[in-house]
Amino acid sequence: MLAYIIRRLLLIVPTLLGILTLNFVIIQAAPGGPVEQMIAQLEGIEGGAAARIGSGAQSEVRTNTSSNSNYRGAQGLDPELIAKIEKMYGFDKPAWERFLIMVKSYFTLDFGESFFRDKSVVDLVLEKMPVSISLGLWSTLLVYLISIPLGIRKAIKNGESFDIWTSTIVIIGNAIPSFLFAIFLIVVFAGGTYLNWFPLRGLTSPNFDELSLMGKILDYFWHLALPITALVIGSFATLTMLTKNSFLDEIGKQYVVTARAKGLTETQVLYGHVFRNAMLIIIAGIPGALVSIFFTGAFLIEVIFSLDGLGLLGFESILSRDYPVIFGTLFIFTLISLVVGLISDVTYTLVDPRIDFESRG
C-alpha cells in the first residue's frame, strides 16, 4: 500500500501541471482579458481604475485621439498608458513566460494577488470559504444521512408500496432545479408572499457578535435553513438509487444465502455481511462529496440568498478575467481533489482489507 500511495503522490505533480496548462491555453484564447477590462474602465473615466495606473491616466484618456493598440476599445488611449497596463498585469511578457512564472509561483504556494480586489488570492479564498463550507458541509451531511438509510430501506422493500412512492418523491425532487425551489422557499417562508419565518440575506444576523453561544448557533442555522433545504431537495436521487442498487446486487449473492442458511437474522445478514460490501461503491463518491464542501456549485443559491461564497467569487472572477483568482482557486481545489481521491482509495482498504492496490501495475 505504501508504494501505491507514493506513486499516487508523485502523479499529483504532472496531473496539476497538465490541468493548469490546459486551462491556461483555454483562458488565453478567450476574448476580453484583464487589459481589456481595465481599458473599458478607463474609457468610462472611472477614478478607481485610473488610480491604479497613475495620476495622469484620466488626462491621457481625454487628450489622446489615436492609438495603434490591438486591444478592442483602446482607440484614443496613449500607447504608453496601454504599456503601463500590460506591465501591471504581466502582459508585457509572452504567454509561455507568464505560464512558467505562474507555475513556479504556484508550486511554492505563492498564488499572487487579485487584479481587481486588492487582496491576495489566499485571503480571498479564506474570506469566502466559511459560506461555501457551511453550504457544502451541511447539505452533503444531510444528503448522506438521509439517502443511505433510505436506499437501504428501499432495497429491503424492493417493489413494495414504500419503494414505489419514495421513488416518486425522489424523482420529483431531482427534477426540480435547486434555484427554482429556493425561490419557492423565499416566497413561502422568507417574507415573499406568505410567511416571514426565515431571513433572506447573509450567513448571520447584524447583531451576531452580541449573541450568546447558543444564540449564535441558532442564528447560524436559522440563516442556513432555506439555502441548505434548496440544495438538499434535489440531491437525494443519485445517492439513494446508488445505495439501493448496490444493496440489491449484494443481497442476491451466494454468501448472503449461505449466511441465512446458517440461521443469522436479517439484521445480522444485512449489517454484518451485506453492508460492508455494498458500501464500497458508496465510498467511491466520497471524494466528490468532500470537494463539494469547498466547491458546492451553488452559485445561484449564493446569489438568491445573498451569500458571498466561493461560487460567486469564481463566477465574478471569470467575468472580470481576474486570472490570479481563476488559476489560484483552480490549483488549490484540484490539489484538494487529488489528495481526497487518494484518501478514498486508502479508505477502501479500511472497509475491505481484501482490496489490494499494491497489485496494480
Side-chain angles (χ1 to χ4, degrees):
M1 189 64 187
L2 180 60
Y4 173 76
I5 293 174
I6 293 174
R7 288 199 304 270
R8 285 287 299 271
L9 289 174
L10 292 176
L11 281 173
I12 287 178
V13 175
T15 302
L16 277 173
L17 187 59
I19 292 173
L20 282 176
T21 303
L22 179 61
N23 283 272
F24 185 86
V25 172
I26 294 173
I27 293 294
Q28 296 302 310
V35 175
E36 286 88 342
Q37 297 285 333
M38 180 59 71
I39 288 173
Q41 292 182 36
L42 289 172
E43 288 287 355
I45 318 297
E46 294 190 9
R52 291 172 177 265
I53 310 302
S55 58
Q58 290 191 16
S59 62
E60 289 178 4
V61 171
R62 293 190 179 96
T63 58
N64 290 280
T65 58
S66 64
S67 174
N68 294 323
S69 173
N70 293 323
Y71 292 108
R72 180 179 298 177
Q75 285 72 21
L77 295 183
D78 188 351
E80 293 185 2
L81 177 61
I82 302 298
K84 288 181 181 179
I85 298 174
E86 289 178 333
K87 184 175 182 180
M88 180 176 69
Y89 293 130
F91 279 76
D92 56 331
K93 302 178 179 67
W96 65 267
E97 187 175 348
R98 285 186 279 115
F99 177 73
L100 291 178
I101 292 173
M102 181 186 73
V103 170
K104 180 180 178 182
S105 299
Y106 283 8
F107 279 96
T108 58
L109 301 182
D110 177 11
F111 302 105
E113 294 193 358
S114 167
F115 284 159
F116 305 106
R117 295 173 181 263
D118 295 322
K119 288 185 179 180
S120 70
V121 173
V122 173
D123 288 342
L124 280 172
V125 170
L126 293 177
E127 179 184 316
K128 311 297 182 183
M129 194 172 285
V131 170
S132 293
I133 288 180
S134 295
L135 291 175
L137 177 62
W138 297 116
S139 60
T140 302
L141 184 62
L142 280 175
V143 168
Y144 269 76
L145 287 177
I146 297 174
S147 294
I148 291 178
L150 179 60
I152 295 173
R153 187 67 178 174
K154 285 173 66 62
I156 297 173
K157 300 292 184 179
N158 184 43
E160 299 181 12
S161 58
F162 175 84
D163 180 40
I164 294 172
W165 68 260
T166 53
S167 294
T168 303
I169 294 175
V170 166
I171 292 172
I172 292 174
N174 186 60
I176 301 175
S178 59
F179 73 89
L180 189 62
F181 193 74
I183 296 173
F184 168 78
L185 291 175
I186 289 174
V187 171
V188 177
F189 297 108
T193 301
Y194 301 100
L195 305 174
N196 191 18
W197 291 352
F198 296 95
L200 181 58
R201 302 176 62 86
L203 192 61
T204 56
S205 299
N207 64 334
F208 182 77
D209 293 335
E210 302 172 5
L211 300 175
S212 64
L213 177 60
M214 183 56 65
K216 289 180 178 180
I217 294 174
L218 293 175
D219 182 74
Y220 170 73
F221 284 107
W222 184 46
H223 282 76
L224 280 177
L226 295 187
I228 289 178
T229 301
L231 282 173
V232 166
I233 197 67
S235 304
F236 291 119
T238 301
L239 185 59
T240 299
M241 301 310 295
L242 181 65
T243 304
K244 174 190 172 182
N245 293 333
S246 178
F247 271 79
L248 282 177
D249 183 59
E250 292 297 324
I251 287 173
K253 291 184 177 179
Q254 184 62 43
Y255 74 89
V256 176
V257 177
T258 303
R260 286 171 176 163
K262 291 181 178 179
L264 296 180
T265 65
E266 283 298 312
T267 300
Q268 290 175 321
V269 171
L270 187 63
Y271 294 100
H273 293 76
V274 175
F275 185 82
R276 185 180 68 176
N277 295 324
M279 285 301 294
L280 286 175
I281 194 170
I282 310 301
I283 291 172
I286 290 179
L290 291 176
V291 172
S292 73
I293 291 175
F294 301 97
F295 260 154
T296 61
F299 159 65
L300 290 175
I301 298 298
E302 291 180 9
V303 172
I304 291 171
F305 291 99
S306 300
L307 298 170
D308 192 8
L310 290 171
L312 186 59
L313 172 66
F315 179 77
E316 291 177 344
S317 299
I318 292 173
L319 288 183
S320 64
R321 303 297 192 268
D322 197 344
Y323 290 169
V325 177
I326 294 173
F327 292 117
T329 53
L330 173 69
F331 181 92
I332 292 171
F333 293 107
T334 301
L335 179 60
I336 292 174
S337 178
L338 293 172
V339 172
V340 171
L342 175 58
I343 294 174
S344 175
D345 285 348
V346 175
T347 307
Y348 266 113
T349 63
L350 296 178
V351 174
D352 190 347
R354 294 172 298 175
I355 295 177
D356 182 18
F357 289 104
E358 293 284 2
S359 61
R360 290 188 178 185

